[in-house]
Amino acid sequence: MVQKTIEIPVETSKKETKFQYFFRSLFKSWTGIVGFVIILLLIAISLFGEIMVPYDPLAADFTKKLLPPMTEGHVLGTDQLGRDVLSRIIVGARISVVIGVITVLLAGTVGTVVGIISGYFRGWVDVVLMRIVDVQLSFPFILLVLVINAIMGTGLKNIIISLAIGGWVVFARVIRGEVLALREKEFVAASIATGVTKFGVLFKHILPNLITPITVLASLQIATYIIAEASVSFLGFGVQPPTPAWGNMLSEGKDYILSSWWLITFPGLAILVTTLGVNLFGDWLRDTLDPESTE
Amino acid sequence: MLDFVIKRLAQVVIVVFLALTVVFFLIRLSGDPVALFLPPDTSREQIEEYREVLGFNRPLYEQYGEFMGNAVKGDFGTSLKTNEDALTMVLERLPATVQLAIASLIIALVVAIPVGVLAAYKKNSVFDKFAVGVTIVGQAMPSFWLGLLLIYFFAVQMNWLPSGGSGSPIHLLLPSLTLATYSIARFTRFTRSTMLDVLRMDYIRTAKASGATTFSLVSKYALKNSLIPIITLVALDLGTLLGGAVVVEMIFAWPGIGRLLMQSLLNRDFPIVMAGVFIIAFIYAMINFIADIVYAYVNPQIRVK
């Protein structure tokens, strides 16, 4: 046997941990770094926002309404009820993050399970599930979320459920495709040939290889959910005032567009920076983990 | 090919049917449907009367059967607010939405294809980097916020354009630009990457070597071969444009289906919601259908699958 002679010493000589590899590739891409830093900031703000806020985000003060930025200690000004805009944006970050993350967990889990069942076990279950996916994908996502949310009722819990109902199909479709491709790979055929059971192959070979596409897809989908929540809340559903979500802040601000530009500027900027950061990081993640894939 | 067309056409019918079914049961299952169908200030006697009139005291399957039976005939009931025929009200708003979507599509194509081609041809130039940067921001931009900013800048500050409403091409400008932004970003990125792939091909090198001018190289050889994937993406994105129109119509008070649907959702005018869902599902499914047929026509591998 020539087995021993073809051992490749590259990985063992470097002794690089996954952690090190992550940062080494991250520092090669400035867009990746920007995205990563924005995400870190966002997580920090959503965890410690309450300590960071200069004012109570819910406290109205009618003597100080519609103050422009940089007046009387209000860096980003105040709104129509005299509430501090910066404090409301900081607290709003948590809402966006919570909605994005929980939705992606829900939609990702359901979609992945469906995708695996469809792609791995095939048969009539696959046909039925993919029909459902096809049907749902042929209806505009944002409209679906709006209609479901309007019927279910507003609020944080219902907007998350509405987004997850709208979003799981993307995971199901992509993960099914990945599983189908994995099934054809030699190492899967080899383990089946050596007598590994169907579930053994699934847990040992298929699932570990799904982690990359799931991670990439999840990171990119979060941005979609955050924008969708903001849109829905802007339109009067989703998260309701006085809870400060970026979408409903813009919705309230648009009534004062003639006099107070800051009310329609800063919450939107917060959304843009957030989705930009998540997208940049997601793009980098895709390019790094999955170099073969294109858009 | 005919088999494929029939199969896909059947799918359109299923999509519309299931969309209606889901919305029907969502409405029925989300608490008291009469409360959903009526404005909050309705008196108790009126609610009971409506329960009788709308048939909510009958079994669910009977209601569903009747609803579907009527829906097939195009009867979705009448608006709870104005008593007009729901489907007619939706169809009256259709031209405005189509107008908005087509204007946006034209803007997106006119901007995205030249920019994408040029960015690919001058890869890594300042122009290319700038174009890629703009597309990245464009894809992260929430359309409703962009709409607000455009209103603030062009209507409030400069007073050049109307902030909302309809009636003239001037009114169409801001909404269609808002709606087009995401598509511009997407199409530009896609055109660029498709062109890059094509420009790497051997026949491009051959054409270059045989002395083709830059212009003919790009227009005659490269762009022609990039167009098929671009057209496919455009066709698939038409539906997304239609969905995005809902949000944009609300910001600019554009009298399309999206705005009617939103107002009906807010007013709990569910016959109109059902008619709106029907029309949107139908159009969206038809667009996907046509995109698939076009795609299958240009790419025979799909038909065999």
Side-chain angles (χ1 to χ4, degrees):
Chain A
M1 285 282 176
V2 282
Q3 237 173 358
K4 285 253 155 78
T5 55
I6 49 169
E7 234 173 17
I8 305 162
V10 176
E11 284 305 307
T12 46
S13 69
K14 263 191 188 163
K15 281 272 177 202
E16 192 180 46
T17 62
K18 272 188 178 160
F19 193 69
Q20 282 167 324
Y21 174 72
F22 176 83
F23 282 102
R24 193 169 53 84
S25 6
L26 184 65
F27 285 123
K28 276 192 227 151
S29 144
W30 70 268
T31 51
I33 296 175
V34 171
F36 187 65
V37 169
I38 291 175
I39 290 175
L40 283 187
L41 275 176
L42 206 63
I43 293 171
I45 291 172
S46 22
L47 286 179
F48 307 112
E50 265 140 27
I51 319 168
M52 294 159 86
V53 290
Y55 294 91
D56 179 351
L58 295 174
D61 182 351
F62 289 100
T63 60
K64 290 186 172 177
K65 63 181 180 184
L66 299 176
L67 289 178
M70 306 307 273
T71 39
E72 296 182 35
H74 295 281
V75 179
L76 300 184
T78 60
D79 69 2
Q80 70 283 0
L81 299 177
R83 296 172 297 192
D84 183 53
V85 172
L86 177 62
S87 305
R88 291 176 64 74
I89 288 179
I90 290 175
V91 176
R94 178 182 299 175
I95 302 216
S96 282
V97 170
V98 163
I99 288 174
V101 171
I102 299 185
T103 305
V104 96
L105 287 176
L106 277 176
T109 309
V110 174
T112 302
V113 169
V114 169
I116 290 173
I117 292 174
S118 249
Y120 193 62
F121 297 102
R122 307 298 306 272
W124 63 270
V125 184
D126 178 35
V127 175
V128 172
L129 287 174
M130 282 307 117
R131 255 315 133 250
I132 296 172
V133 169
D134 281 344
V135 165
Q136 196 181 316
L137 279 174
S138 49
F139 199 76
F141 169 70
I142 183 75
L143 210 59
L144 186 69
V145 175
L146 266 173
V147 172
I148 294 174
N149 195 240
I151 294 169
M152 280 182 73
T154 54
L156 195 64
K157 195 181 89 193
N158 283 346
I159 182 65
I160 290 175
I161 296 172
S162 313
L163 286 168
I165 294 176
W168 69 276
V169 282
V170 176
F171 282 91
R173 169 63 67 79
V174 173
I175 298 306
R176 175 180 176 271
E178 294 287 338
V179 174
L180 284 181
L182 282 171
R183 270 167 54 113
E184 306 300 319
K185 290 270 158 75
E186 282 93 354
F187 64 87
V188 173
S191 31
I192 293 171
T194 54
V196 182
T197 63
K198 219 169 179 186
F199 280 94
V201 172
L202 178 61
F203 286 102
K204 245 177 121 176
H205 297 298
I206 305 280
L207 278 183
N209 282 299
L210 287 178
I211 292 172
T212 300
I214 292 172
T215 315
V216 170
L217 189 59
S219 67
L220 293 171
Q221 282 299 105
I222 285 185
T224 308
Y225 299 148
I226 289 177
I227 290 192
E229 178 271 318
S231 309
V232 172
S233 298
F234 176 78
L235 292 173
F237 300 102
V239 182
Q240 297 293 300
T243 309
W246 295 338
N248 71 36
M249 288 174 71
L250 285 170
S251 174
E252 291 183 319
K254 76 173 188 299
D255 298 336
Y256 301 89
I257 193 168
L258 291 175
S259 60
S260 314
W261 57 271
W262 56 94
L263 293 182
I264 56 144
T265 306
F266 298 117
L269 207 56
I271 303 172
L272 178 65
V273 170
T274 302
T275 50
L276 200 58
V278 176
N279 276 343
L280 286 177
F281 185 72
D283 279 345
W284 169 80
L285 208 61
R286 183 187 56 207
D287 296 343
T288 308
L289 296 177
D290 194 5
E292 281 168 34
S293 80
T294 52
E295 223 174 320
Chain B
M1 188 70 185
L2 190 67
D3 263 13
F4 180 76
V5 173
I6 292 170
K7 230 170 159 179
R8 282 295 284 107
L9 211 54
Q11 208 175 322
V12 172
V13 178
I14 297 172
V15 166
V16 176
F17 173 77
L18 283 183
L20 284 178
T21 305
V22 169
V23 178
F24 176 89
F25 282 104
L26 262 176
I27 292 173
R28 294 307 188 280
L29 294 175
S30 61
D32 186 1
V34 183
L36 278 178
F37 270 69
L38 293 174
D41 53 345
T42 319
S43 75
R44 194 169 292 259
E45 296 85 65
Q46 268 178 306
I47 290 178
E48 282 312 313
E49 198 189 309
Y50 261 99
R51 202 185 295 279
E52 201 71 34
V53 173
L54 296 172
F56 286 129
N57 45 2
R58 290 184 292 142
L60 204 56
Y61 66 89
E62 232 174 77
Q63 292 179 44
Y64 177 69
E66 193 189 324
F67 168 75
M68 277 299 173
N70 288 334
V72 170
K73 288 180 270 173
D75 176 11
F76 290 88
T78 56
S79 162
L80 303 171
K81 290 257 158 184
T82 63
N83 246 329
E84 284 173 75
D85 181 60
L87 189 63
T88 313
M89 280 181 79
V90 172
L91 288 175
E92 275 169 6
R93 301 291 196 99
L94 187 59
T97 299
V98 171
Q99 199 182 19
L100 179 61
I102 289 178
S104 306
L105 187 68
I106 292 171
I107 293 177
L109 289 176
V110 166
V111 176
I113 292 185
V115 173
V117 168
L118 203 61
Y121 192 73
K122 302 227 174 255
K123 198 185 172 208
N124 288 328
S125 66
V126 179
F127 177 80
D128 179 35
K129 287 192 170 136
F130 180 74
V132 170
V134 171
T135 61
I136 291 174
V137 175
Q139 280 191 308
M141 187 74 137
S143 64
F144 67 96
W145 185 51
L146 180 70
L148 284 179
L149 290 183
L150 289 176
I151 289 175
Y152 181 74
F153 192 75
F154 288 104
V156 176
Q157 284 295 311
M158 297 295 165
N159 219 346
W160 286 345
L161 296 166
S163 66
S166 64
S168 72
I170 300 272
H171 286 93
L172 190 57
L173 204 57
L174 286 186
S176 49
L177 200 62
T178 306
L179 187 55
T181 302
Y182 182 77
S183 302
I184 291 176
R186 227 171 108 83
F187 295 170
T188 305
R189 237 178 145 172
F190 191 75
T191 306
R192 179 179 174 276
S193 65
T194 313
M195 274 298 278
L196 282 178
D197 287 343
V198 173
L199 286 174
R200 269 197 291 267
M201 296 284 176
D202 288 340
Y203 63 85
I204 295 291
R205 213 174 33 202
T206 312
K208 228 185 216 167
S210 57
T213 60
T214 309
F215 180 78
S216 78
L217 187 74
V218 169
S219 64
K220 215 167 144 191
Y221 300 99
L223 186 60
K224 236 182 190 170
N225 285 291
S226 317
L227 273 179
I228 290 171
I230 294 171
I231 289 171
T232 313
L233 180 84
V234 168
L236 287 172
D237 264 27
L238 253 176
T240 316
L241 221 54
L242 213 60
V246 178
V247 181
V248 173
E249 283 175 11
M250 282 303 282
I251 307 167
F252 290 97
W254 187 258
I257 289 187
R259 186 149 171 267
L260 177 71
L261 196 65
M262 279 302 302
Q263 286 165 334
S264 311
L265 282 171
L266 287 165
N267 291 332
R268 311 198 152 273
D269 198 343
F270 279 97
I272 296 183
V273 172
M274 298 300 281
V277 165
F278 169 73
I279 290 296
I280 290 172
F282 178 72
I283 294 175
Y284 202 89
M286 279 310 280
I287 291 171
N288 282 330
F289 165 72
I290 293 165
D292 273 8
I293 299 297
V294 171
Y295 194 55
Y297 185 74
V298 295
N299 186 355
Q301 282 175 317
I302 300 289
R303 270 175 276 167
V304 184
K305 259 202 238 170

